[in-house]
Amino acid sequence: MPYELAKVFACLPQVERGVSKVLGGDPKGINFLYTNNKSVIIRNIDRPEIADIYTEHAHQVHVAQYAPSGYYIASGDASGKIRIWDTTQKEHLLKYEYQPFAGAVKDICWSGDSQKVAAVGRGKEIFGAVFHWDTGTSVGSITGHSKVINSIAFKPNRPFHVVTGSDDYTCVFFEALPVKFKCTINNHTKFVNCLRYSPDGSKFASAGADGQIFIYNGKDGNQICALGGSSAHNGGVYAVSWNADSTHLISASGDKTVKLWDVEANSAVTTFTMGSDVMDQQLGCLWQNNHLLSVSLSGYINYLDKANPSKPLRIIKGHSKSIQALTVHTSDGRCSIYSGSHDGHMNVWNATTGENDTFAGKGHTNQVSCIVASDSNEIVTCSMDDTVRFTCLCSNEYKPENAVKMDNQPKNVAVGPGGYVVVICIEQIVLLKDKKKVFTIENLDYEPECVAIHPGGVTVAVGGNDSKVHLYSIQGATLQKHSVLSPSHLGPVSVLSYSPDGGNLAVSSTNKVTTIFTVADDYKEAESYYGHHAKVLCLAWSPDNQHFATGGMDGLVFVWTLKDTHKIFKLQECHRLYHISGIAWLDEHTLVTTSHDASVKQWTITYN
């Protein structure tokens, strides 16, 4: 195989304010689950840098849960589809797919014998269903609610029972099997967000938007106590999770805390204070083995520390929204990956370990459109917030004085030696020198789309929507146009890049073709490369100048060999269901790709 997936730096959970985020635990204690857009993320709980991504849903996935046997996962999406798939094979083969009701699935649980699946959500008339996992045959009906059901829990041992919680402020207790309505529980005064049975089946807990957590007898549904008396939290409670011996549980709340409760003593043993910002609201939690996890509104996954409740052991950061821009920096003996997302979030990754952090300080407030690394140890970014920012690699901290405001929205940026930066804006080309605007070209007869500066620092290539490449020269504090390239096979230019040695210019277009121009030969058109089925979105040269890679809207990545159009490496479904938004080389054998799945992947390329 000429290529191999080496590493996956997974996305964070996709969260929504005021909505519970379900985390699924592996019964074997190895992995945990969550969802983001159309993906189910499987992460190793001890080493979260080890991740796997399931991307077979056609719609946004809201929940995924392991079967108690550990052999299967059931995941449910916004269309009401529930897919049951294998965990033991790398391909995650689909076993069955069902649609028990028409509407978003909000929660899923399995019976203790791994034979039945229960699902609830936003149906039109039916809000939930319980069925055999291998036949889809119904084993009773979920009734008694008048609004969307947010949560469901199965008593893990016999005699089986089922309990549900809804936006109608009630919980309903069912006998099983078959599932049969027994009684309605009216303790909560607002939405019921989460219900969970204890592992021994003796109790279950309900958590609501009213800040209350109630504990019930698992066999008959009678109330045992209300944790904390009149209120467990000062804000809505979105999730609860029991420990293995059913004596304690943790709760996640919008009051920006997670609490650890001694259920028998009805007391909060520990209160984990997660911060004061609105993004520190806690929407999900999981207690697995010795790990206590919570999910913030920011999407960050917190590993809580009982010995130090004010500071998590570790915080898993990353992206929760689609990644739009990518670059790498490999000098100083470090290999770092920089990625920017749709929400303006910038992240830096250690390419070896997967450890990552966000940029500090107040930065971009809208989509990061382009990222490049300069030879002065700075990351230069442009954003839809109409700014270009210069960020020092040694600190990864935004500084207000290092932001340059553009008159028009910037789309692309290129850096050259000597402090020169060229920014492509809507209907403008702007030259910066030492972080200051020194020259602007307006009233163009074409719309500029992308830019590259020759490594020599003199020539600037600008790709336009007129299917041409416009060449300018940097002369002091001005840009002077000197020639235009009109390739024979080119459409509107989408991306272009000079090879590291400056010998060639690669130009890709919306008509799926990449053309190479030989710089020393007065930009003579050399070869054209075909293979993509849709628009080419990103392009990067390998450090050895012998190969370049392209990523397209078709989700394909091609690695091309210079002067040999037939020597092609085709990477299919790198980010399944998504187009490739960024591509870069760490070295001539390691390729990095990003996509709208908010994940970063590394690929090992082996040349024959």
Side-chain angles (χ1 to χ4, degrees), residues 122-166:
R122 194 184 300 277
K124 293 180 180 177
E125 295 179 359
I126 301 171
F127 301 113
V130 184
F131 53 90
H132 285 280
W133 81 276
D134 54 351
T135 64
T137 306
S138 174
V139 286
S141 56
I142 301 294
T143 59
H145 289 293
S146 59
K147 292 184 178 179
V148 56
I149 302 177
N150 297 314
S151 188
I152 187 165
F154 229 120
K155 186 169 177 284
N157 45 25
R158 298 181 187 276
F160 291 129
H161 295 289
V162 173
V163 62
T164 55
S166 166

Side-chain angles (χ1 to χ4, degrees), residues 38-39 53-57 83 555 572-580 595 597 601:
K38 299 175 185 177
S39 304
I53 304 177
Y54 179 81
T55 53
E56 296 298 322
H57 280 273
R83 295 175 68 89
Q572 298 191 72
E573 298 185 340
C574 291
H575 299 261
R576 182 167 165 76
L577 302 178
Y578 299 95
H579 58 252
I580 308 302
S595 179
D597 63 3
K601 295 185 178 182

Side-chain angles (χ1 to χ4, degrees), residues 19-23 63 65 101 104-110 118-122 127-130 142-143 145 147-154 162-174 188 191-197 204-208 237-242 283:
V19 178
S20 175
K21 187 63 186 179
V22 179
L23 298 181
V63 59
Q65 293 283 15
F101 52 87
V105 178
K106 299 201 71 174
D107 199 11
I108 289 173
C109 65
W110 291 75
V120 294
R122 194 184 300 277
F127 301 113
V130 184
I142 301 294
T143 59
H145 289 293
K147 292 184 178 179
V148 56
I149 302 177
N150 297 314
S151 188
I152 187 165
F154 229 120
V162 173
V163 62
T164 55
S166 166
D167 274 3
D168 63 11
Y169 305 176
T170 69
C171 301
V172 174
F173 188 78
F174 299 88
H188 287 282
F191 300 160
V192 181
N193 291 321
C194 184
L195 285 155
R196 291 294 179 259
Y197 257 99
F204 67 88
S206 68
V237 186
Y238 294 104
V240 294
S241 182
W242 293 84
L283 302 180

Side-chain angles (χ1 to χ4, degrees), residues 572-594:
Q572 298 191 72
E573 298 185 340
C574 291
H575 299 261
R576 182 167 165 76
L577 302 178
Y578 299 95
H579 58 252
I580 308 302
S581 62
I583 200 164
W585 294 85
L586 288 169
D587 56 55
E588 54 263 34
H589 293 286
T590 309
L591 188 67
V592 182
T593 61
T594 58

Side-chain angles (χ1 to χ4, degrees), residues 410-465:
K411 297 188 285 187
N412 199 241
V413 63
V415 299
Y420 285 109
V421 174
V422 178
V423 184
I424 297 300
C425 300
I426 296 174
E427 299 180 342
Q428 279 186 338
I429 302 173
V430 181
L431 177 66
L432 306 182
K433 177 75 163 69
D434 299 328
K435 305 175 188 175
K436 293 181 174 59
K437 287 190 279 188
V438 296
F439 191 73
T440 301
I441 302 176
E442 298 180 298
N443 302 317
L444 297 161
D445 57 359
Y446 69 98
E447 177 62 39
E449 298 293 342
C450 51
V451 63
I453 300 179
H454 188 274
V458 176
T459 304
V460 177
V462 177
N465 67 346

